[in-house]
Amino acid sequence: MKTNLTMLTDLYQLTMMNGYYKKGVENDTAVFDVFFRKNVCEGGYTIVCGIEEIVHYINNLSFNEHDLDYLRSLNLFDEDFIGFLRDFKFTGDIYAVEDGSVMFPGEPIIVVKAPLYQAQLVETAILSIVNFMTLIATKASRVCNAAGGDPVLEFGLRRAQGPEAGLYGAKAAIIGGCTGTSNVLTGKMFGVPVAGTHAHSWVQKFDSELEAFRAYAQTYPDSCLLLIDTYNVLESGIKNALIVFDELRAKGFEPIGVRLDSGDLTYLSKEVRKILDDAGYPNAKITASNDLDEYTIISLKQEGAAIDSWGVGTKLITSYDYPSLGGVYKLAATTNREGILEPKIKISENPEKINNPGFKKVVRIYNKNEKCEADLIMLDDETIDETKPLEIFDPVYTWKRRVYENYTIRELLKPLFLEGKLVRERKSVYEVKEYAKKELSSMWDQYKRIKNPHIYKVDLSQKLWDMKNDLIASKR
């Protein structure tokens, strides 16, 4: 991927860059945090996705002459600034969690430490990438969690909010747990399985349903899965499917199964399952689609639906009930006139909108069974002695405290770019997917509930908490 997204930015990033340039502070160091304030779908966790796409973005940052001509035409920037942009190159540091990491509200998932003008420019694209892909990866994880281990296929391309949303949303869905996608371009670009059989239009094209099924079985005898609800599932669809299945078996092939895309999926799947079993096809699978999401899947499973795999489209690729992650990019520190990095804070009447100042890191606390217990946001120069008890406290209800012994910690933010150079090994989609799976397995089940999950503990170190409250008091 060589796509140049340098101009994928909000105009005010460029007007601020120009202002910094005019004031001579463009090369002051700035630290910005990327974080989100709420979990996707009001769930208990969020799966970060899009770090690989940010690597592509940073690696291709540069203004070409067409870009500069356009900016010149806006009559906002003089030739000095245009010339300054001509030589633009990212030379800063970026720290990020691993793609597929399970993270929680308020935690930095990406930290940009760079010359001010560079850190300002990259805000919009980074948020655009990580907000969308993280949203879809987490939605997919919830859907797969509801499916309880059944295969889930992503079928949302035609309902996605544009081609790129379909492309990268499908990738994110695979990372979130889906086993395949209908999106052929995603399959080609990222080496993931693609899946699909035929539509209702295939059946409608032929003079009869039986003729349509026979034609499909003749074309794909070793992977025959038939859509049986074009006319009537029980009166014609399953009966004609069985005729074709018998013909396939006589030729030495076994059918894959059938798909249901409408109607009462619980009732129909139970009836179809009984008919298939009675006809000698206990291994034939029943796949269901039809506007599914995690809530519908849970309901169907609770009702005893005989469904083996799930095709999920619109409500996954659009995150239908929760359309935006709402991640933000906030200044946490910048150099003062003496060149010393000093913390910065934004004050709000809404406590959750008051950012955590300073250059920070995030550590995860594990018990002796390698289960996650809590996360701690700390200043970058702080250390933890794992041989001693560790006490943490709720940053709002400070009387709520917990002491850990016999624990281990892991720092979650790792260098991605240092001095503009990529320093992290690239990973395939499947490596990221396995990492996300491992991350989820380290979380207690109460944090993974679809509804009313337990709230995971994310606390501040004493030093950071003191700094934050001192800054609030000084600004008040």
Side-chain angles (χ1 to χ4, degrees):
M1 290 285 291
K2 296 296 182 183
T3 306
N4 186 322
L5 300 178
T6 305
M7 294 284 279
L8 184 69
T9 192
D10 293 303
L11 181 62
Y12 78 174
Q13 311 290 14
L14 290 162
T15 58
M16 286 189 286
M17 289 168 65
N18 186 36
Y20 296 142
Y21 179 71
K22 298 299 182 187
K23 288 294 184 181
V25 298
E26 73 277 9
N27 284 309
D28 287 4
T29 299
V31 176
F32 284 87
D33 295 339
V34 177
F35 61 94
F36 55 91
R37 295 188 176 110
K38 294 182 180 179
N39 284 317
V40 173
C41 303
E42 308 299 333
Y45 66 92
T46 294
I47 294 180
V48 175
C49 190
I51 302 300
E52 176 68 15
E53 282 60 40
I54 289 172
V55 169
H56 287 302
Y57 166 65
I58 296 295
N59 278 340
N60 290 285
L61 268 178
S62 65
F63 291 91
N64 61 42
E65 290 303 319
H66 294 295
D67 298 335
L68 298 176
D69 286 344
Y70 172 74
L71 294 177
R72 187 180 290 113
S73 74
L74 298 178
N75 296 318
L76 290 171
F77 313 110
D78 60 25
E79 283 302 315
D80 280 351
F81 183 65
I82 296 294
F84 177 66
L85 293 182
R86 182 176 284 110
D87 298 324
F88 183 95
K89 182 180 179 182
F90 186 82
T91 61
D93 303 337
I94 298 179
Y95 303 84
V97 300
E98 294 282 352
D99 244 342
S101 293
V102 172
M103 299 296 286
F104 303 94
E107 299 180 325
I109 58 177
I110 300 169
V111 173
V112 177
K113 185 181 182 184
L116 181 55
Y117 76 100
Q118 298 178 22
Q120 197 70 70
L121 177 67
V122 300
E123 172 184 358
T124 302
I126 285 177
L127 287 177
S128 176
I129 292 166
V130 78
N131 272 339
F132 174 70
M133 294 190 70
T134 297
L135 176 73
I136 303 306
T138 310
K139 183 67 172 179
S141 176
R142 289 170 56 82
V143 171
C144 293
N145 185 16
D150 297 342
V152 176
L153 301 168
E154 184 279 315
F155 281 175
L157 176 57
R158 66 188 65 189
R159 305 287 176 81
Q161 289 149 332
E164 287 211 348
L167 174 65
Y168 291 101
K171 177 188 176 183
I174 296 291
I175 288 170
C178 291
T179 56
T181 176
S182 65
N183 190 325
V184 178
L185 183 55
T186 296
K188 174 177 178 264
M189 286 179 58
F190 303 113
V192 300
V194 292
T197 54
H198 66 82
H200 294 107
S201 58
W202 171 274
V203 179
Q204 292 171 282
K205 166 61 181 171
F206 292 86
D207 291 338
S208 70
E209 187 176 55
L210 180 58
E211 183 183 350
F213 287 175
R214 278 176 170 153
Y216 191 82
Q218 288 166 3
T219 307
Y220 302 103
D222 56 354
S223 59
C224 183
L225 190 148
L226 301 174
L227 178 60
I228 61 173
D229 70 330
T230 304
Y231 301 121
N232 188 297
V233 171
L234 300 179
E235 292 301 318
S236 65
I238 187 60
K239 293 178 180 178
N240 286 323
L242 285 175
I243 293 171
V244 173
F245 289 174
D246 287 343
E247 293 170 352
L248 277 174
R249 182 172 280 176
K251 297 175 183 178
F253 299 100
E254 283 296 310
I256 299 297
V258 298
R259 177 162 72 97
L260 302 171
D261 190 52
S262 61
D264 185 334
L265 294 178
T266 298
Y267 169 72
L268 290 174
S269 66
K270 288 180 178 180
E271 292 298 307
V272 168
R273 179 75 272 158
K274 184 175 185 302
I275 292 168
L276 287 169
D277 291 348
D278 290 346
Y281 293 97
N283 295 323
K285 304 297 184 183
I286 299 175
T287 296
S289 44
N290 188 27
D291 227 15
L292 301 173
D293 63 9
E294 64 266 45
Y295 305 106
T296 307
I297 292 173
I298 285 176
S299 178
L300 289 167
K301 291 182 80 71
Q302 288 174 341
E303 293 167 4
I307 295 169
D308 301 295
S309 62
W310 310 83
V312 186
T314 305
K315 291 186 176 180
L316 192 166
I317 202 66
T318 64
S319 189
Y320 189 83
D321 59 329
Y322 200 91
S324 176
L325 175 64
V328 295
Y329 188 93
K330 295 299 180 183
L331 182 67
T334 187
T335 46
N336 58 23
R337 292 179 181 179
E338 289 72 42
I340 299 171
L341 195 66
E342 63 179 21
K344 294 290 182 177
I345 196 166
K346 175 187 178 294
I347 304 295
S348 173
E349 294 300 321
N350 185 345
E352 72 174 12
K353 290 193 173 183
I354 301 177
N355 70 293
N356 294 314
F359 183 33
K360 300 176 294 296
K361 59 186 175 185
V362 183
V363 299
R364 182 154 291 167
I365 303 166
Y366 294 85
N367 66 20
K368 62 182 180 180
N369 297 316
E370 299 185 349
K371 284 289 188 180
C372 303
E373 293 288 342
D375 287 1
L376 189 63
I377 307 174
M378 312 171 64
L379 294 172
D380 186 66
D381 60 359
E382 293 188 84
T383 59
I384 294 175
D385 184 349
E386 296 178 49
T387 66
K388 297 179 180 179
L390 174 63
E391 181 180 60
I392 64 173
F393 61 92
D394 187 286
V396 177
Y397 307 103
T398 55
W399 51 270
K400 292 184 177 181
R401 294 176 176 260
R402 180 80 180 267
V403 177
Y404 293 100
E405 299 184 51
N406 195 17
Y407 64 92
T408 59
I409 63 168
R410 177 170 68 96
E411 289 194 23
L412 303 184
L413 289 163
K414 300 291 185 181
L416 185 63
F417 286 86
L418 293 177
E419 297 182 351
K421 303 294 184 182
L422 179 66
V423 295
R424 187 182 296 180
E425 187 176 322
R426 309 286 279 274
K427 290 185 177 180
S428 70
V429 173
Y430 274 97
E431 287 174 320
V432 176
K433 179 178 180 177
E434 284 303 309
Y435 183 81
K437 183 178 179 181
K438 181 180 177 182
E439 284 274 277
L440 282 170
S441 69
S442 71
M443 308 302 299
W444 295 98
D445 288 343
Q446 60 262 35
Y447 304 120
K448 295 184 280 187
R449 285 197 294 261
I450 299 299
K451 290 185 177 181
N452 302 316
H454 197 66
I455 298 173
Y456 185 80
K457 290 184 285 296
V458 177
D459 295 343
L460 308 183
S461 70
Q462 184 69 59
K463 186 175 179 180
L464 176 57
W465 190 90
D466 290 340
M467 173 191 285
K468 181 175 183 178
N469 282 275
D470 287 346
L471 282 172
I472 292 172
S474 70
K475 298 300 181 184
R476 290 298 187 190

